């Protein structure tokens, strides 16, 4: 019942973009008539496009957005092609269809962060019209590749296999793998649960996880770059900060921002954290390099608790 009502609700809420080959992509497009710029969002692995909800709600009035579910997720038709080029084609198609003529910010979380940076770096002429790329606690593929056949890799493989079983049997409805704190609005929480209850979601996530280990390291990006990092990562925070810092050096116009108190999921799922991310997306892009004296720090920034208290 959860899967059925979830698909029906998705079909009611989101539109379907028809591609030249007849396949469909679930999209949510909001571009006001007075919009001066647009942000194109790319999701993390195994995550629905509605998890950008708090970020989208915090964007300024002159900024539209386009978000979508990659093939195989949500209502999007599964694609037998894998790798970066098919995804680059889709990003370019969405830009040409919905954002043509407007400046665009490319923003992605987790694996989506790598996707948007790789698109701007590797796809011909993709950087034209891009005001900045925002990588939000993004996947660093070299570290991911080095984790292969380690305990981390084995646990990731086992977890996604277990989630497929939980989804197929319906148990995931009672114990969602993500959004466990139910921080979104009730309708988004229900949609998120229904998305995770589809075993196809986890089959697609596993394929993306394995495919990501073959992706090339990014070495250059000819546009401003903002790297946003969750301060409280699962595991070694110092190691995570160092890995994220490596992402920031691919552009000569970059900044590295830590969201205090956030983790990999709450950086979007907790409203104050998401609003901080939205400020970075909508703000002025960085104009210069990090510099040799740069050190990661959260000193002087309000904590998540302080921002929650302020909102209340």
């Amino acid at each position: 019942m959860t899967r059925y009502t979830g698909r029906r609700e998705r079909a009611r809420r989101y539109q379907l973009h028809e591609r030249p080959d007849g396949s469909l992509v679930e999209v949510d497009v909001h571009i006001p008539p007075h919009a001066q710029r647009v942000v194109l969002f790319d999701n993390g692995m195994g995550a629905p496009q509605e998890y950008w909800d708090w970020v989208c709600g915090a964007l300024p009035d002159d900024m539209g957005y386009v978000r979508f579910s990659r093939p195989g997720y949500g209502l999007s038709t599964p694609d037998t092609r894998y790798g970066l080029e098919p995804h680059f084609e889709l990003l370019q198609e969405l830009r040409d269809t919905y954002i043509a003529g407007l400046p665009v910010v490319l923003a992605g979380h987790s694996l989506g962060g790598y996707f948007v940076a790789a698109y701007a770096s590797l796809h011909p002429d993709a950087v034209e019209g891009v005001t900045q790329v925002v990588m939000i606690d993004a996947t660093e593929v070299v570290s991911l590749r080095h984790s292969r056949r380690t305990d981390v890799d084995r646990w990731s493989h086992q977890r996604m296999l277990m989630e497929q079983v939980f989804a197929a049997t319906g148990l995931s409805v009672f114990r969602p793998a993500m959004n466990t704190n139910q921080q979104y609005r009730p309708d988004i929480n229900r949609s998120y649960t229904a998305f995770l209850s589809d075993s196809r979601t986890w089959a697609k996530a596993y394929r993306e996880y394995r495919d990501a280990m073959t992706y090339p390291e990014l070495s250059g990006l000819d546009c401003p770059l903002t790297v946003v990092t969750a301060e409280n990562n699962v595991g070694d925070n110092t190691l995570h900060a160092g890995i994220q810092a490596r992402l920031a050096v691919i552009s000569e116009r970059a900044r590295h921002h830590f969201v205090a108190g956030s983790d990999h999921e709450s950086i979007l799922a907790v409203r104050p954290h998401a609003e901080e991310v939205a400020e970075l997306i909508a703000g002025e892009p960085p104009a210069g390099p990090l510099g040799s004296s740069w050190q990661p720090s959260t000193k002087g920034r309000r904590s998540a608790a302080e921002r929650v208290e302020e909102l209340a």
Side-chain angles (χ1 to χ4, degrees), residues 231-301:
E231 181 195 32
N232 186 26
N233 183 61
V234 176
D236 189 329
N237 284 323
T238 302
L239 177 62
H240 181 64
I243 291 172
Q244 291 280 296
R246 292 206 298 264
L247 297 173
V249 301
I250 66 175
S251 172
E252 294 183 355
R253 292 167 288 170
R255 65 182 163 198
H256 190 180
H257 182 92
F258 283 73
V259 178
S262 68
D263 59 36
H264 187 69
E265 183 177 337
S266 74
I267 200 168
L268 297 182
V270 172
R271 190 172 183 177
H273 296 162
E275 289 174 346
E276 191 170 332
V277 171
E279 290 176 8
L280 295 166
I281 291 173
E284 288 294 321
L290 290 173
S292 57
S293 61
W294 176 86
Q295 293 291 330
S297 174
T298 56
K299 184 179 179 180
R301 281 197 291 276

Side-chain angles (χ1 to χ4, degrees), residues 30-265:
H30 174 73
I31 303 180
H34 58 278
Q36 301 297 311
R37 51 202 173 136
V38 178
V39 55
L40 175 59
F41 291 111
D42 207 336
N43 311 331
M45 184 177 64
Q49 48 93 353
E50 60 263 33
Y51 83 156
W52 295 104
D53 204 60
W54 289 135
V55 175
C56 292
L59 294 174
D61 293 338
D62 69 343
M63 194 168 200
Y65 64 80
V66 175
R67 59 193 200 190
F68 66 99
S69 292
R70 291 194 291 276
Y73 288 132
L75 301 178
S76 297
T77 306
D79 194 343
T80 56
R81 300 183 304 159
Y82 288 89
L84 292 178
E85 280 306 322
H87 190 63
F88 292 166
E89 292 173 10
L90 176 57
L91 290 175
Q92 189 63 49
E93 187 179 317
L94 293 174
R95 285 184 66 184
D96 293 341
T97 303
Y98 301 107
I99 312 176
L102 288 173
V104 63
V105 174
L106 301 173
H109 173 248
S110 194
L111 185 58
Y114 173 84
F115 278 148
V116 293
Y119 165 68
S121 176
L122 304 175
H123 194 60
D125 303 322
V127 76
E128 184 177 350
V130 174
T131 58
Q132 72 164 326
V133 170
V134 182
M135 304 176 75
I136 304 162
D137 219 40
T139 300
E140 203 275 325
V141 294
V142 175
S143 299
L144 182 64
R145 194 154 52 239
H146 288 166
S147 73
R148 191 160 193 173
R149 297 186 179 89
T150 65
D151 288 343
V152 172
D153 181 42
R154 283 188 284 272
W155 168 242
S156 298
H157 177 279
Q158 182 179 353
R159 178 175 180 268
M160 283 183 273
L161 179 62
M162 289 190 302
E163 294 300 343
Q164 286 188 60
V165 174
F166 292 155
T169 58
L171 294 175
S172 60
V173 171
F174 305 104
R175 192 207 58 80
M178 295 185 286
N179 193 28
T180 53
N181 295 320
Q182 299 285 287
Q183 295 280 355
Y184 292 103
R185 302 191 319 266
D187 58 326
I188 299 299
N189 289 331
R190 289 194 301 270
S191 180
Y192 212 147
T193 301
F195 177 89
L196 297 173
S197 71
D198 189 342
S199 58
R200 191 181 74 172
T201 295
W202 296 102
K204 168 71 174 179
Y206 177 73
R207 181 59 190 263
E208 286 191 328
Y209 172 74
R210 284 303 182 202
D211 206 36
M213 290 190 173
T214 68
Y215 294 159
E217 180 181 7
L218 302 179
S219 58
L221 183 63
D222 191 22
C223 69
L225 169 65
T226 297
V227 174
V228 187
T229 299
E231 181 195 32
N232 186 26
N233 183 61
V234 176
D236 189 329
N237 284 323
T238 302
L239 177 62
H240 181 64
I243 291 172
Q244 291 280 296
R246 292 206 298 264
L247 297 173
V249 301
I250 66 175
S251 172
E252 294 183 355
R253 292 167 288 170
R255 65 182 163 198
H256 190 180
H257 182 92
F258 283 73
V259 178
S262 68
D263 59 36
H264 187 69
E265 183 177 337

